[in-house]
């Protein structure tokens, strides 16, 4: 057993998950990766071990299987110091407008599942009196847009959950970070038209998460430009906003 | 279809660009006219598929690393910058690095890149023990000096034309620090520069930056940079054994108008550069590996300095025996033209390893030219001098040489093509470069 700090990454096989795992491993943390397909996580585990000489554990986790959450946490070899949820599903807005199953999957993957699992961790962290919870939400949750409001509304719910949890947990020594990455060049956004100057690569998000945890930041817009963009978007009057095409 | 170009932004052509996420997806993506692309640092059309381009930078995992020997197994999309940042602090660096660290392992193998140490330590391929290659025929093979050795030696320096490199096992160089003990020598003309490089043969690293605007008596005046890995005892008190690599502090946000780069600005820059360097000449001092190996990396997107139309790099190697006369002639023509690049690079190379590797024992000269006016004709003339001297051009930099120039420079082409044919009888793997220079049409 090492006495090193540990981080658990839920959604470990996503590009941002991998980047976050690398950032923490580089900083000397032992890492646990959790995802639906454990075998698919093996190469990432080997990568972290080879690069940073840290301990890496793998765990099966499905964000839609809320019934398994308690036993998932119970089966972890130890309660981590930090838990990061990067789980999410962008989905296809046009499909979600008529396909209830698809809309439900988007809502559950971006809100219900992440909020419930982080809520369970929060209880255990509060009982211990320490810990950090990181939720990767989205600028899309700052205001519903015609082009992706199913996803956006779920992220809005998740952001609200995190801010409420932060208010409560901070009194018990537990810190909650909300990350709003903006456009990131990942598998999720492949083929989408992203605005160059507002787009970052996954490692930038990974480093930003590490910094936010170490500096105890509450809400991180990964690129400072987004904070401004979203401030403008949030303050546009509804009458104007509904006419905008985006 | 997407518009794609190399680092020189010339030519710009249409290609289907895919970013496979698994080796199985790589296999499925290979169709007639496909080539792999690393980080797009080749200047011309080498990393653009005849119809389809597979971006490999998503394959960036290290598979295993042995800190006792420095042997590493990794996916081909890992960037050298990532390797340096990750393993540098653990006491290991790549044996060979080119002038930018933003190249992938796959790209470095495919071009068998040379560094400032080629004259004594050889190229990138020399430190590669084996490769996992997905051939055009659809097989996945492990190739090394002993196993599938034809495929191995054709892939090292083979510009991606033997198939897609998926993984490689290579050796890293153990180092005590990330610092270089540098000695700068100023040379007042070409003879002095070549003498200094000859005298620098014993140095691990050597390279000359030539002022290619200087003419007459000053023709070939340059600064020669010799370097050795510094050990801990040479560092200043309290200095970290491994320096921090800065990201680009400056970057060129937009294409500069073509007038920004003119005779006056280039002349002024070169004059300043030479004088500042000459002042540092003489003693030796310890510098971070980053500015020593990668001086251009500190300016992001510097290729935009040359404007929208892009630029060409002309990099030739001339065999040792005739080198002085030909280099003098080339430099003279370039200086008389006056619109050449900022700085030219001159260095000594040793024997190459791959069948199509660029290096041969002699001198390599690299020059940049903006794409404008009669530049293509001018470079054709320079090519004639190179061919007459038994030299060749570097494929990783080329966007325009003729078939005749290429065939004269690479006599092992026949053997290369035979191996290529055996790995890919249907001819699936093709780049714009191979269409221009190799493939029968
Ligand atoms: C500023 C600058 C300085 C440079 N200095 C030097 C130098 O000092 N010495 C030197 O030798 N070169 C130098 N180069 C050239 C550069 O090192 C090579 O072009 C290198 O191949 C670029 O690697 P890449 O990953 O960007 O590959 P790309 O440019 O994307 O591709 C280059 C070639 O590699 C092939 N390739 C890439 N990945 C794979 C793969 N996985 N499997 C099969 N084939 C693959 C491509 O098909 C293509 O033929 C320099 C380039 C720049 C921009």
């Amino acid at each position: 057993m090492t006495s090193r700090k540990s981080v658990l990454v839920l959604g470990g096989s996503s590009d941002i998950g991998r980047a976050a795992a690398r950032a923490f491993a580089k900083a000397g943390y032992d890492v646990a990766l959790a995802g639906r397909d454990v075998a698919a996580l093996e190469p990432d585990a080997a990568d972290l071990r080879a690069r940073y000489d840290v301990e890496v554990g793998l765990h099966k986790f499905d964000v839609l299987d809320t019934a398994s959450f308690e036993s998932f946490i119970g089966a972890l070899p130890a309660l981590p110091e930090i838990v990061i949820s990067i789980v999410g599903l962008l989905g296809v807005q046009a499909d979600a407008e008529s396909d209830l199953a698809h809309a439900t999957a988007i809502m559950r993957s971006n809100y219900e599942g992440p909020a419930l699992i982080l809520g369970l961790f929060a209880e255990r962290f509060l009982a211990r009196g320490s810990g950090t919870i990181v939720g990767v939400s989205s600028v899309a949750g700052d205001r519903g847009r015609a082009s992706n409001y199913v996803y956006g509304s779920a992220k809005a719910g998740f952001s609200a959950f995190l801010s409420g949890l932060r208010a409560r947990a901070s009194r018990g020594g537990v810190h909650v970070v909300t990350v709003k990455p903006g456009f990131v060049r990942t598998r999720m956004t492949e083929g989408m038209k992203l605005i160059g100057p507002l787009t970052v690569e996954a490692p930038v998000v990974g480093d930003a998460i590490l910094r936010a945890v170490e500096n105890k930041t509450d809400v991180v817009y990964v690129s400072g430009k987004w904070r401004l963009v979203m401030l403008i978007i949030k303050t546009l009057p509804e009458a104007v906003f509904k006419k905008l095409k985006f | 279809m997407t518009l794609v170009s190399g680092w020189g932004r010339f030519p710009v052509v249409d290609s289907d660009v895919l970013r496979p996420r698994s080796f199985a997806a790589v296999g499925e993506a290979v169709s007639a006219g496909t080539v792999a692309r690393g980080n797009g640092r080749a200047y011309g059309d080498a990393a653009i598929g005849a119809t389809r381009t597979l971006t490999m930078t998503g394959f960036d995992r290290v598979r295993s690393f042995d800190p006792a020997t420095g042997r590493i197994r990794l996916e081909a999309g890992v960037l050298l910058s990532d390797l340096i940042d990750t393993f540098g602090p653990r006491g290991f660096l790549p044996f060979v690095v080119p002038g930018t660290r933003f190249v992938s392992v796959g790209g470095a193998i495919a071009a068998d890149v040379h560094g400032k140490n080629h004259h004594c330590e050889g190229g990138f391929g020399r430190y590669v023990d084996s490769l996992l290659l997905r051939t055009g025929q659809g097989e996945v093979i492990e190739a090394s000096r002993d196993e599938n050795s034809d495929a191995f030696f054709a892939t090292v320096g083979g510009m991606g034309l033997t198939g897609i490199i998926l993984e490689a096992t290579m050796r890293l160089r153990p180092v005590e620090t990330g610092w270089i003990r540098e000695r700068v020598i100023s040379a007042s003309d070409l003879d002095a520069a070549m003498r200094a490089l000859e005298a620098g043969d014993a140095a691990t690293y050597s390279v000359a930056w030539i002022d290619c605007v200087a003419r007459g008596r000053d023709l070939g005046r340059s600064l020669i940079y010799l370097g050795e890995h510094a050990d801990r005892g040479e560092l200043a008190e309290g200095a970290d054994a491994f320096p921090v690599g800065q990201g680009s502090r400056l970057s060129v946000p937009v294409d500069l108008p073509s007038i920004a780069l003119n005779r006056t600005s280039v002349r002024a820059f070169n004059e300043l550069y030479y004088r500042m360097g000459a002042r540092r000449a003489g003693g030796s001092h310890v510098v971070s590996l980053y500015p020593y190996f990668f001086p251009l990396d500190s300016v992001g997107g510097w290729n935009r300095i040359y404007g929208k139309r892009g630029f060409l790099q002309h990099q030739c190697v001339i065999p040792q025996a005739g080198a002085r006369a030909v280099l003098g002639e080339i430099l003279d023509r370039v200086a008389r033209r006056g619109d050449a690049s900022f700085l030219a690079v001159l260095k000594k190379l040793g024997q190459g390893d791959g069948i199509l590797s660029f290096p041969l024992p002699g001198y390599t000269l690299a020059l940049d030219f903006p794409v404008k006016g009669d530049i293509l004709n001018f470079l054709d003339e320079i090519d004639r001098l190179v061919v007459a001297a038994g030299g060749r051009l570097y494929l990783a930099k080329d966007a325009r040489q003729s078939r005749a120039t290429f065939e004269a420079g690479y006599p092992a082409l026949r053997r290369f093509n035979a191996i290529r044919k055996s790995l890919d009888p249907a001819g699936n793997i093709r780049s714009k470069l191979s269409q221009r220079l190799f493939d029968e049409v």
Side-chain angles (χ1 to χ4, degrees), chain A residues 220-240:
Chain A
V220 194
Y221 284 86
V222 171
S223 155
K225 294 173 195 138
W226 273 106
R227 195 180 282 277
L228 183 65
V229 170
M230 292 322 297
L231 184 71
I232 296 167
I233 291 181
K234 275 191 286 191
T235 46
L236 280 177
E238 199 70 15
V240 177

mmCIF file of all heavy atoms in Angstrom, chain A residues 220-240:
data_model
loop_
_atom_site.group_PDB
_atom_site.id
_atom_site.type_symbol
_atom_site.label_atom_id
_atom_site.label_comp_id
_atom_site.label_asym_id
_atom_site.label_seq_id
_atom_site.Cartn_x
_atom_site.Cartn_y
_atom_site.Cartn_z
ATOM 1 N N VAL A 220 -15.078 26.409 -13.008
ATOM 2 C CA VAL A 220 -14.014 26.653 -13.983
ATOM 3 C C VAL A 220 -14.591 26.694 -15.394
ATOM 4 O O VAL A 220 -15.204 25.728 -15.849
ATOM 5 C CB VAL A 220 -12.991 25.491 -13.995
ATOM 6 C CG1 VAL A 220 -11.733 25.901 -14.725
ATOM 7 C CG2 VAL A 220 -12.708 24.996 -12.618
ATOM 8 N N TYR A 221 -14.421 27.802 -16.059
ATOM 9 C CA TYR A 221 -14.624 27.830 -17.509
ATOM 10 C C TYR A 221 -13.225 27.598 -18.063
ATOM 11 O O TYR A 221 -12.329 28.398 -17.824
ATOM 12 C CB TYR A 221 -15.128 29.195 -17.970
ATOM 13 C CG TYR A 221 -16.580 29.436 -17.676
ATOM 14 C CD1 TYR A 221 -16.987 29.941 -16.448
ATOM 15 C CD2 TYR A 221 -17.545 29.163 -18.637
ATOM 16 C CE1 TYR A 221 -18.327 30.164 -16.181
ATOM 17 C CE2 TYR A 221 -18.893 29.382 -18.378
ATOM 18 C CZ TYR A 221 -19.279 29.878 -17.149
ATOM 19 O OH TYR A 221 -20.602 30.104 -16.886
ATOM 20 N N VAL A 222 -13.006 26.499 -18.784
ATOM 21 C CA VAL A 222 -11.633 26.126 -19.109
ATOM 22 C C VAL A 222 -10.907 27.231 -19.867
ATOM 23 O O VAL A 222 -9.771 27.547 -19.588
ATOM 24 C CB VAL A 222 -11.590 24.796 -19.873
ATOM 25 C CG1 VAL A 222 -10.193 24.528 -20.388
ATOM 26 C CG2 VAL A 222 -12.050 23.689 -18.946
ATOM 27 N N SER A 223 -11.596 27.808 -20.854
ATOM 28 C CA SER A 223 -10.984 28.929 -21.525
ATOM 29 C C SER A 223 -11.658 30.185 -20.994
ATOM 30 O O SER A 223 -12.880 30.280 -20.970
ATOM 31 C CB SER A 223 -11.180 28.805 -23.037
ATOM 32 O OG SER A 223 -11.133 30.083 -23.629
ATOM 33 N N GLY A 224 -10.865 31.157 -20.558
ATOM 34 C CA GLY A 224 -11.401 32.382 -19.963
ATOM 35 C C GLY A 224 -12.389 33.079 -20.891
ATOM 36 O O GLY A 224 -13.312 33.751 -20.447
ATOM 37 N N LYS A 225 -12.180 32.862 -22.195
ATOM 38 C CA LYS A 225 -13.047 33.525 -23.167
ATOM 39 C C LYS A 225 -14.501 33.083 -22.996
ATOM 40 O O LYS A 225 -15.424 33.835 -23.242
ATOM 41 C CB LYS A 225 -12.604 33.185 -24.590
ATOM 42 C CG LYS A 225 -11.230 33.742 -24.925
ATOM 43 C CD LYS A 225 -10.754 33.230 -26.283
ATOM 44 C CE LYS A 225 -9.267 33.478 -26.469
ATOM 45 N NZ LYS A 225 -8.573 32.352 -27.069
ATOM 46 N N TRP A 226 -14.675 31.820 -22.567
ATOM 47 C CA TRP A 226 -16.034 31.297 -22.432
ATOM 48 C C TRP A 226 -16.834 31.997 -21.344
ATOM 49 O O TRP A 226 -18.033 32.160 -21.446
ATOM 50 C CB TRP A 226 -16.005 29.794 -22.150
ATOM 51 C CG TRP A 226 -15.955 29.006 -23.411
ATOM 52 C CD1 TRP A 226 -14.875 28.346 -23.920
ATOM 53 C CD2 TRP A 226 -17.022 28.795 -24.345
ATOM 54 N NE1 TRP A 226 -15.210 27.747 -25.104
ATOM 55 C CE2 TRP A 226 -16.508 27.999 -25.393
ATOM 56 C CE3 TRP A 226 -18.356 29.208 -24.404
ATOM 57 C CZ2 TRP A 226 -17.283 27.605 -26.477
ATOM 58 C CZ3 TRP A 226 -19.131 28.814 -25.481
ATOM 59 C CH2 TRP A 226 -18.586 28.020 -26.507
ATOM 60 N N ARG A 227 -16.145 32.384 -20.287
ATOM 61 C CA ARG A 227 -16.844 33.045 -19.189
ATOM 62 C C ARG A 227 -17.535 34.301 -19.742
ATOM 63 O O ARG A 227 -18.693 34.575 -19.459
ATOM 64 C CB ARG A 227 -15.840 33.401 -18.088
ATOM 65 C CG ARG A 227 -16.483 33.765 -16.772
ATOM 66 C CD ARG A 227 -15.419 34.101 -15.745
ATOM 67 N NE ARG A 227 -14.767 32.922 -15.169
ATOM 68 C CZ ARG A 227 -15.276 32.217 -14.161
ATOM 69 N NH1 ARG A 227 -16.432 32.541 -13.640
ATOM 70 N NH2 ARG A 227 -14.616 31.174 -13.682
ATOM 71 N N LEU A 228 -16.788 35.009 -20.605
ATOM 72 C CA LEU A 228 -17.315 36.230 -21.206
ATOM 73 C C LEU A 228 -18.443 35.910 -22.192
ATOM 74 O O LEU A 228 -19.522 36.514 -22.151
ATOM 75 C CB LEU A 228 -16.173 36.960 -21.919
ATOM 76 C CG LEU A 228 -16.533 38.299 -22.533
ATOM 77 C CD1 LEU A 228 -16.910 39.288 -21.430
ATOM 78 C CD2 LEU A 228 -15.368 38.840 -23.352
ATOM 79 N N VAL A 229 -18.182 34.923 -23.041
ATOM 80 C CA VAL A 229 -19.194 34.552 -24.038
ATOM 81 C C VAL A 229 -20.495 34.177 -23.335
ATOM 82 O O VAL A 229 -21.581 34.637 -23.710
ATOM 83 C CB VAL A 229 -18.695 33.367 -24.901
ATOM 84 C CG1 VAL A 229 -19.837 32.827 -25.764
ATOM 85 C CG2 VAL A 229 -17.527 33.788 -25.776
ATOM 86 N N MET A 230 -20.381 33.360 -22.285
ATOM 87 C CA MET A 230 -21.600 32.893 -21.619
ATOM 88 C C MET A 230 -22.275 34.009 -20.830
ATOM 89 O O MET A 230 -23.485 34.036 -20.694
ATOM 90 C CB MET A 230 -21.307 31.689 -20.711
ATOM 91 C CG MET A 230 -20.911 30.413 -21.457
ATOM 92 S SD MET A 230 -21.789 30.072 -23.013
ATOM 93 C CE MET A 230 -23.474 29.876 -22.448
ATOM 94 N N LEU A 231 -21.468 34.954 -20.336
ATOM 95 C CA LEU A 231 -22.047 36.096 -19.639
ATOM 96 C C LEU A 231 -22.951 36.854 -20.606
ATOM 97 O O LEU A 231 -24.082 37.223 -20.276
ATOM 98 C CB LEU A 231 -20.924 37.006 -19.126
ATOM 99 C CG LEU A 231 -21.398 38.192 -18.285
ATOM 100 C CD1 LEU A 231 -21.901 37.704 -16.938
ATOM 101 C CD2 LEU A 231 -20.279 39.206 -18.086
ATOM 102 N N ILE A 232 -22.453 37.045 -21.812
ATOM 103 C CA ILE A 232 -23.242 37.749 -22.822
ATOM 104 C C ILE A 232 -24.482 36.934 -23.180
ATOM 105 O O ILE A 232 -25.608 37.442 -23.180
ATOM 106 C CB ILE A 232 -22.384 38.024 -24.089
ATOM 107 C CG1 ILE A 232 -21.232 38.957 -23.716
ATOM 108 C CG2 ILE A 232 -23.235 38.616 -25.203
ATOM 109 C CD1 ILE A 232 -20.157 39.065 -24.762
ATOM 110 N N ILE A 233 -24.264 35.657 -23.437
ATOM 111 C CA ILE A 233 -25.404 34.823 -23.840
ATOM 112 C C ILE A 233 -26.468 34.753 -22.750
ATOM 113 O O ILE A 233 -27.662 34.807 -23.009
ATOM 114 C CB ILE A 233 -24.914 33.411 -24.247
ATOM 115 C CG1 ILE A 233 -24.130 33.522 -25.566
ATOM 116 C CG2 ILE A 233 -26.085 32.435 -24.389
ATOM 117 C CD1 ILE A 233 -23.610 32.216 -26.093
ATOM 118 N N LYS A 234 -25.997 34.674 -21.482
ATOM 119 C CA LYS A 234 -26.964 34.566 -20.386
ATOM 120 C C LYS A 234 -27.769 35.846 -20.196
ATOM 121 O O LYS A 234 -28.896 35.811 -19.735
ATOM 122 C CB LYS A 234 -26.240 34.239 -19.067
ATOM 123 C CG LYS A 234 -26.011 32.739 -18.897
ATOM 124 C CD LYS A 234 -25.547 32.382 -17.496
ATOM 125 C CE LYS A 234 -24.111 32.775 -17.261
ATOM 126 N NZ LYS A 234 -23.566 32.200 -16.009
ATOM 127 N N THR A 235 -27.151 36.995 -20.536
ATOM 128 C CA THR A 235 -27.855 38.254 -20.258
ATOM 129 C C THR A 235 -28.672 38.769 -21.429
ATOM 130 O O THR A 235 -29.407 39.732 -21.280
ATOM 131 C CB THR A 235 -26.856 39.342 -19.793
ATOM 132 O OG1 THR A 235 -25.729 39.312 -20.668
ATOM 133 C CG2 THR A 235 -26.388 39.106 -18.385
ATOM 134 N N LEU A 236 -28.579 38.112 -22.573
ATOM 135 C CA LEU A 236 -29.418 38.545 -23.697
ATOM 136 C C LEU A 236 -30.883 38.357 -23.319
ATOM 137 O O LEU A 236 -31.265 37.311 -22.801
ATOM 138 C CB LEU A 236 -29.134 37.689 -24.936
ATOM 139 C CG LEU A 236 -27.898 38.026 -25.765
ATOM 140 C CD1 LEU A 236 -27.757 37.012 -26.898
ATOM 141 C CD2 LEU A 236 -27.973 39.440 -26.307
ATOM 142 N N PRO A 237 -31.714 39.363 -23.575
ATOM 143 C CA PRO A 237 -33.146 39.206 -23.285
ATOM 144 C C PRO A 237 -33.742 38.066 -24.110
ATOM 145 O O PRO A 237 -33.325 37.854 -25.249
ATOM 146 C CB PRO A 237 -33.763 40.547 -23.717
ATOM 147 C CG PRO A 237 -32.617 41.465 -23.990
ATOM 148 C CD PRO A 237 -31.385 40.658 -24.153
ATOM 149 N N GLU A 238 -34.684 37.358 -23.533
ATOM 150 C CA GLU A 238 -35.283 36.202 -24.204
ATOM 151 C C GLU A 238 -35.820 36.591 -25.592
ATOM 152 O O GLU A 238 -35.716 35.823 -26.543
ATOM 153 C CB GLU A 238 -36.416 35.632 -23.329
ATOM 154 C CG GLU A 238 -36.826 34.207 -23.657
ATOM 155 C CD GLU A 238 -35.785 33.138 -23.276
ATOM 156 O OE1 GLU A 238 -34.851 33.419 -22.508
ATOM 157 O OE2 GLU A 238 -35.908 31.993 -23.782
ATOM 158 N N ALA A 239 -36.388 37.807 -25.701
ATOM 159 C CA ALA A 239 -36.961 38.243 -26.976
ATOM 160 C C ALA A 239 -35.903 38.269 -28.068
ATOM 161 O O ALA A 239 -36.183 37.939 -29.222
ATOM 162 C CB ALA A 239 -37.585 39.625 -26.815
ATOM 163 N N VAL A 240 -34.681 38.645 -27.698
ATOM 164 C CA VAL A 240 -33.594 38.684 -28.675
ATOM 165 C C VAL A 240 -33.049 37.272 -28.885
ATOM 166 O O VAL A 240 -32.846 36.814 -30.010
ATOM 167 C CB VAL A 240 -32.450 39.612 -28.175
ATOM 168 C CG1 VAL A 240 -31.292 39.602 -29.162
ATOM 169 C CG2 VAL A 240 -32.967 41.011 -27.930
#
